[in-house]
Amino acid sequence: MEPAGTIVFASVGVTNFGFDVFSATVPAPTSAEAGVSAEDLDERRHTDGISVNFNAQFADDAGDAVAFVSERTGAASLFLSRPGSEPDPLPAAEGSLFHDRPTVRGGRVYFVSAHEKPDRPFRSWAAVYAAELGAGRERNPEPQPQRLTPRGVVDMSPAVSASGDLLAVASYGDRPWAFDFRALETEVAVFRASDPSRRAVVAARGGWPAWHGDAALFFHRAADDGWWSVFRVGVSPDTLQPTGPERRVTPPGLHCFTPAAPARGGGRWIAVATRRKGRAQRHVELFDLETQRFSPLTELLSPGLHHYNPFFTPSGGRVGYHRFRGAGAPGDSLVPHLQPVRSPVRSIRMLRVHGTFPSFSPDGAHIAVNGDFFSTPGVSVLRSDGSRRWTVSKEPDLFYTTWSPTERGVVFTSKGPIFETPKATVRIARVEFDPADLTDDGRGEGEVRATVRPLTRPEAGNDAFPAVSPCGRWLVFRSGRTGHKNLYVVDTARGEEGGVRRLTEGEWIDTMPSWSPDGSLIAFSSNRHDPANPAVFSIYLVRPDGSGLRRVYVAGAEGSAEADKERINHVCFSPDSQWLLFTANLGSVVAEPISGPNQFQPYGDLYVCRLDGSDLRRLTCNAYENGTPVWGPASAGLGLESLSMGPPSGEDALGQFDEPLWLTCDV
């Protein structure tokens, strides 16, 4: 049978972004030196406030038409926005869950898509494609996009010259992924749109290229002194070879990345996103190539907001970027409790939750979730259509949730700090409330009275990730009480007072257990096959009595190099106990992480496979970290029809997200 049901999961940050695309007038260099005001910059909004809109390029020189990426369809899709009209979908790859960086040139749209599976795991799916517009599309209404990236090669961040003849990309080439996910070890390659098979590498290290005419490229990379900086290299349009050595353009002392330049060349300005000491926000600044001076741009307009990924009109008259649309701005204004996400499997419904570690109530009518572990309520309950939320426990230091299948109003969780050492005090806890308090008297927010009762001793160490047996009597959980994290079982009512049974034992990490709905198996993540490596985890299955332990090989067969590169966590079972759902690193990354807000593990995507590791299917493909999934009945979430960030119900936290936490100005 096909995998079926409703999957609810979390993605880092994306529900809070609230991005729209804006642009501002580029001042003349003399005006910039004399000082400009916000009014002089004439900021315009190009997108409509629906969902998350980002990574745009102008489609005309007047600065009116904009090609952009939007999450409004439940996945990253391409649109064209013109003043006074609804955004029009751009031709793209049918069925693709990820599109990026669209550029309209010469009757074609160029973009990144990730719809073609590589021939081996741990390879990015990202490649560059082109599709016809206008007359070319009228002759063939449903043309398949042309793949410009050679088979076996990974390309991202494409830039198209003003003539439309040349493309530049950040590329891994045909090299395997080195498991880099902060500063990617990409090279800058160029090729002709008419002959994409003939490529030349013009910079051995770099990303996010931007054409300046047809004979020069700007790009970024982390310099040897630790500062992200913009570099320039000349390119011969005839041979595609560098015309000289690359040259650093921006100085040390601040981070400069995601450069943009007028594609037709000329002018003194380039635009860069910057991070400076003493300033928390990412801003777009103009850099004068003659005077070597920066001029503020977005800091004059919205000093308290982050601004991302500048782009110019071809002649350089306007510069665009995306940012949080702002409190009170027209458009979606709430973070939805639940948001539909496009599923590549027809029999699976997918929902993104605003929260972490969701779990379904036994009847599928409600979902328990955690907050951010620091300031938001520790346990909340959602109606499974997303229309109502109740706070159950305001204590923020709670993580993981699992409902009792036999006791009404009982949720198990972990109480204490997350991501701590084996001997840190974290306790398994039982949360009890009256389900009658989950009243159906309206929409929005509510609060119910609850008690939180620990089930494990404080001196026992790090006890976390409880999973309840289908009979409701037992909890399996991870504990560091011996100095190593292994699995244990306790009574759901009495906890350690009723005794503790050890399920696994060893000097490695066994964690995040999940009990199969039919009661026959417990799945968990472990690095027992390579205990010295805390970065590799694979799926293991064991019977509740501790017998029948076996590994599920997903990336490759036993003994293969691929099998021992797996980083698989958050495993759980399908409702029929025949499939496994998990988050994994199997698909590498599809976009440059420096170009967006913080993602702890941007390679984290959701997959399903059968209990023997066969029939692997990818469920998510995007630039976010996706994790903490739960698999519930097909009926859960019915009634959720809006794919936007507004109705049916949500939280007023739009615009609250982090810059990359690994990016520091303490260089």
CSV table of all heavy atoms in Angstrom, one decimal, residues 170-196:
chain,number,residue,atom,x,y,z
A,170,ALA,N,27.0,29.5,-9.0
A,170,ALA,CA,27.8,28.9,-8.0
A,170,ALA,C,27.6,27.4,-8.1
A,170,ALA,O,26.5,26.9,-8.1
A,170,ALA,CB,27.3,29.4,-6.6
A,171,SER,N,28.7,26.7,-8.3
A,171,SER,CA,28.7,25.3,-8.6
A,171,SER,C,29.6,24.4,-7.8
A,171,SER,O,30.7,24.8,-7.4
A,171,SER,CB,29.1,25.2,-10.1
A,171,SER,OG,29.0,23.8,-10.5
A,172,TYR,N,29.0,23.3,-7.5
A,172,TYR,CA,29.9,22.2,-6.9
A,172,TYR,C,30.6,21.4,-8.0
A,172,TYR,O,31.4,20.5,-7.7
A,172,TYR,CB,29.0,21.2,-6.1
A,172,TYR,CG,28.8,21.6,-4.6
A,172,TYR,CD1,27.6,21.9,-4.1
A,172,TYR,CD2,29.9,21.6,-3.8
A,172,TYR,CE1,27.4,22.2,-2.8
A,172,TYR,CE2,29.7,22.0,-2.4
A,172,TYR,CZ,28.4,22.2,-2.0
A,172,TYR,OH,28.3,22.6,-0.6
A,173,GLY,N,30.3,21.7,-9.3
A,173,GLY,CA,30.7,20.9,-10.3
A,173,GLY,C,30.2,19.4,-10.1
A,173,GLY,O,29.1,19.3,-9.7
A,174,ASP,N,31.0,18.5,-10.5
A,174,ASP,CA,30.6,17.1,-10.2
A,174,ASP,C,31.2,16.5,-9.0
A,174,ASP,O,31.2,15.3,-8.8
A,174,ASP,CB,30.9,16.2,-11.5
A,174,ASP,CG,32.4,16.2,-11.8
A,174,ASP,OD1,33.2,16.8,-11.0
A,174,ASP,OD2,32.8,15.6,-12.8
A,175,ARG,N,31.7,17.4,-8.1
A,175,ARG,CA,32.3,16.9,-6.9
A,175,ARG,C,31.2,16.5,-5.9
A,175,ARG,O,30.1,17.1,-5.9
A,175,ARG,CB,33.2,18.0,-6.2
A,175,ARG,CG,34.4,18.4,-7.0
A,175,ARG,CD,35.1,19.6,-6.4
A,175,ARG,NE,34.3,20.8,-6.6
A,175,ARG,CZ,33.8,21.6,-5.6
A,175,ARG,NH1,34.0,21.2,-4.3
A,175,ARG,NH2,33.1,22.7,-5.9
A,176,PRO,N,31.5,15.5,-5.0
A,176,PRO,CA,30.5,15.1,-4.0
A,176,PRO,C,30.4,16.2,-2.9
A,176,PRO,O,31.3,17.0,-2.7
A,176,PRO,CB,31.1,13.8,-3.4
A,176,PRO,CG,32.5,13.9,-3.7
A,176,PRO,CD,32.7,14.6,-5.0
A,177,TRP,N,29.3,16.2,-2.3
A,177,TRP,CA,29.1,17.2,-1.2
A,177,TRP,C,30.0,16.9,-0.1
A,177,TRP,O,30.2,15.7,0.4
A,177,TRP,CB,27.6,17.1,-0.7
A,177,TRP,CG,27.2,18.0,0.4
A,177,TRP,CD1,27.6,19.3,0.5
A,177,TRP,CD2,26.3,17.7,1.5
A,177,TRP,NE1,27.0,19.8,1.7
A,177,TRP,CE2,26.2,18.9,2.2
A,177,TRP,CE3,25.6,16.6,1.8
A,177,TRP,CZ2,25.4,19.0,3.4
A,177,TRP,CZ3,24.8,16.7,3.0
A,177,TRP,CH2,24.7,17.8,3.7
A,178,ALA,N,30.7,17.9,0.4
A,178,ALA,CA,31.7,17.8,1.5
A,178,ALA,C,31.0,18.0,2.9
A,178,ALA,O,31.7,18.2,3.9
A,178,ALA,CB,32.8,18.7,1.3
A,179,PHE,N,29.7,18.0,2.9
A,179,PHE,CA,28.9,18.2,4.1
A,179,PHE,C,29.1,19.6,4.7
A,179,PHE,O,28.9,19.8,5.9
A,179,PHE,CB,29.1,17.1,5.1
A,179,PHE,CG,28.8,15.8,4.6
A,179,PHE,CD1,29.7,15.0,4.0
A,179,PHE,CD2,27.5,15.3,4.7
A,179,PHE,CE1,29.4,13.7,3.5
A,179,PHE,CE2,27.1,14.0,4.2
A,179,PHE,CZ,28.1,13.3,3.6
A,180,ASP,N,29.5,20.6,3.8
A,180,ASP,CA,29.5,22.0,4.2
A,180,ASP,C,28.1,22.6,4.1
A,180,ASP,O,27.4,22.3,3.2
A,180,ASP,CB,30.5,22.8,3.3
A,180,ASP,CG,30.3,22.4,1.8
A,180,ASP,OD1,30.0,21.3,1.5
A,180,ASP,OD2,30.5,23.4,1.0
A,181,PHE,N,27.8,23.4,5.1
A,181,PHE,CA,26.4,24.0,5.0
A,181,PHE,C,26.4,25.4,5.6
A,181,PHE,O,25.3,25.9,5.9
A,181,PHE,CB,25.4,23.1,5.8
A,181,PHE,CG,25.7,22.9,7.2
A,181,PHE,CD1,25.1,23.7,8.2
A,181,PHE,CD2,26.6,21.8,7.6
A,181,PHE,CE1,25.4,23.5,9.5
A,181,PHE,CE2,26.8,21.6,9.0
A,181,PHE,CZ,26.2,22.4,9.9
A,182,ARG,N,27.5,26.0,5.7
A,182,ARG,CA,27.6,27.4,6.1
A,182,ARG,C,28.2,28.2,5.0
A,182,ARG,O,27.5,28.8,4.2
A,182,ARG,CB,28.3,27.6,7.4
A,182,ARG,CG,27.5,27.0,8.6
A,182,ARG,CD,28.2,27.1,9.9
A,182,ARG,NE,27.4,26.6,11.0
A,182,ARG,CZ,27.8,26.4,12.2
A,182,ARG,NH1,29.1,26.6,12.5
A,182,ARG,NH2,27.0,25.9,13.1
A,183,ALA,N,29.5,28.2,4.9
A,183,ALA,CA,30.2,28.8,3.7
A,183,ALA,C,30.4,27.6,2.7
A,183,ALA,O,31.2,26.8,2.9
A,183,ALA,CB,31.5,29.4,4.1
A,184,LEU,N,29.6,27.6,1.7
A,184,LEU,CA,29.7,26.5,0.7
A,184,LEU,C,31.0,26.5,-0.1
A,184,LEU,O,31.4,27.6,-0.5
A,184,LEU,CB,28.5,26.5,-0.2
A,184,LEU,CG,27.1,26.4,0.4
A,184,LEU,CD1,26.0,26.3,-0.6
A,184,LEU,CD2,27.0,25.3,1.4
A,185,GLU,N,31.5,25.4,-0.3
A,185,GLU,CA,32.8,25.3,-1.1
A,185,GLU,C,32.5,25.2,-2.6
A,185,GLU,O,32.8,24.3,-3.3
A,185,GLU,CB,33.6,24.1,-0.6
A,185,GLU,CG,34.1,24.2,0.8
A,185,GLU,CD,35.1,25.4,1.0
A,185,GLU,OE1,35.8,25.7,0.0
A,185,GLU,OE2,35.0,26.1,2.0
A,186,THR,N,31.8,26.2,-3.1
A,186,THR,CA,31.4,26.3,-4.5
A,186,THR,C,32.5,27.1,-5.3
A,186,THR,O,33.2,27.9,-4.7
A,186,THR,CB,30.0,26.9,-4.7
A,186,THR,OG1,30.0,28.2,-4.1
A,186,THR,CG2,28.9,26.0,-4.1
A,187,GLU,N,32.4,26.8,-6.6
A,187,GLU,CA,33.2,27.6,-7.5
A,187,GLU,C,32.3,28.4,-8.4
A,187,GLU,O,31.1,28.2,-8.4
A,187,GLU,CB,34.1,26.7,-8.4
A,187,GLU,CG,33.2,25.7,-9.2
A,187,GLU,CD,34.0,24.6,-9.8
A,187,GLU,OE1,35.2,24.3,-9.3
A,187,GLU,OE2,33.6,23.9,-10.7
A,188,VAL,N,32.8,29.5,-9.1
A,188,VAL,CA,32.0,30.3,-10.0
A,188,VAL,C,32.3,29.8,-11.4
A,188,VAL,O,33.5,29.8,-11.8
A,188,VAL,CB,32.3,31.7,-9.8
A,188,VAL,CG1,31.5,32.5,-10.9
A,188,VAL,CG2,32.0,32.2,-8.4
A,189,ALA,N,31.3,29.3,-12.1
A,189,ALA,CA,31.5,28.8,-13.5
A,189,ALA,C,30.6,29.6,-14.4
A,189,ALA,O,29.5,30.2,-14.0
A,189,ALA,CB,31.1,27.3,-13.5
A,190,VAL,N,31.0,29.8,-15.6
A,190,VAL,CA,30.3,30.5,-16.6
A,190,VAL,C,30.1,29.6,-17.9
A,190,VAL,O,30.9,28.7,-18.2
A,190,VAL,CB,31.0,31.8,-17.0
A,190,VAL,CG1,31.1,32.8,-15.8
A,190,VAL,CG2,32.3,31.6,-17.6
A,191,PHE,N,29.0,29.9,-18.6
A,191,PHE,CA,28.7,29.2,-19.8
A,191,PHE,C,27.7,30.0,-20.7
A,191,PHE,O,27.1,31.0,-20.2
A,191,PHE,CB,28.1,27.8,-19.6
A,191,PHE,CG,26.9,27.8,-18.7
A,191,PHE,CD1,25.6,27.9,-19.2
A,191,PHE,CD2,27.0,27.6,-17.3
A,191,PHE,CE1,24.5,27.8,-18.4
A,191,PHE,CE2,25.9,27.6,-16.5
A,191,PHE,CZ,24.6,27.7,-17.0
A,192,ARG,N,27.6,29.7,-21.9
A,192,ARG,CA,26.7,30.3,-22.8
A,192,ARG,C,25.3,29.7,-22.7
A,192,ARG,O,25.2,28.4,-22.6
A,192,ARG,CB,27.2,30.3,-24.3
A,192,ARG,CG,28.4,31.2,-24.5
A,192,ARG,CD,28.7,31.2,-26.0
A,192,ARG,NE,29.8,32.2,-26.3
A,192,ARG,CZ,31.0,31.9,-26.2
A,192,ARG,NH1,31.4,30.7,-25.9
A,192,ARG,NH2,32.0,32.9,-26.4
A,193,ALA,N,24.3,30.5,-22.8
A,193,ALA,CA,22.9,29.9,-22.8
A,193,ALA,C,22.7,29.0,-24.0
A,193,ALA,O,22.0,28.0,-23.9
A,193,ALA,CB,21.9,31.1,-22.8
A,194,SER,N,23.4,29.3,-25.1
A,194,SER,CA,23.2,28.5,-26.3
A,194,SER,C,24.0,27.2,-26.3
A,194,SER,O,23.8,26.3,-27.1
A,194,SER,CB,23.6,29.4,-27.5
A,194,SER,OG,25.0,29.8,-27.4
A,195,ASP,N,25.0,27.2,-25.4
A,195,ASP,CA,25.9,26.0,-25.4
A,195,ASP,C,26.3,25.7,-23.9
A,195,ASP,O,27.4,25.9,-23.5
A,195,ASP,CB,27.2,26.2,-26.2
A,195,ASP,CG,28.1,25.0,-26.3
A,195,ASP,OD1,27.6,23.9,-25.9
A,195,ASP,OD2,29.2,25.1,-26.8
A,196,PRO,N,25.3,25.3,-23.1
A,196,PRO,CA,25.6,25.1,-21.7
A,196,PRO,C,26.6,24.0,-21.3
A,196,PRO,O,27.1,23.9,-20.2
A,196,PRO,CB,24.2,24.8,-21.1
A,196,PRO,CG,23.4,24.2,-22.2
A,196,PRO,CD,23.9,24.9,-23.4
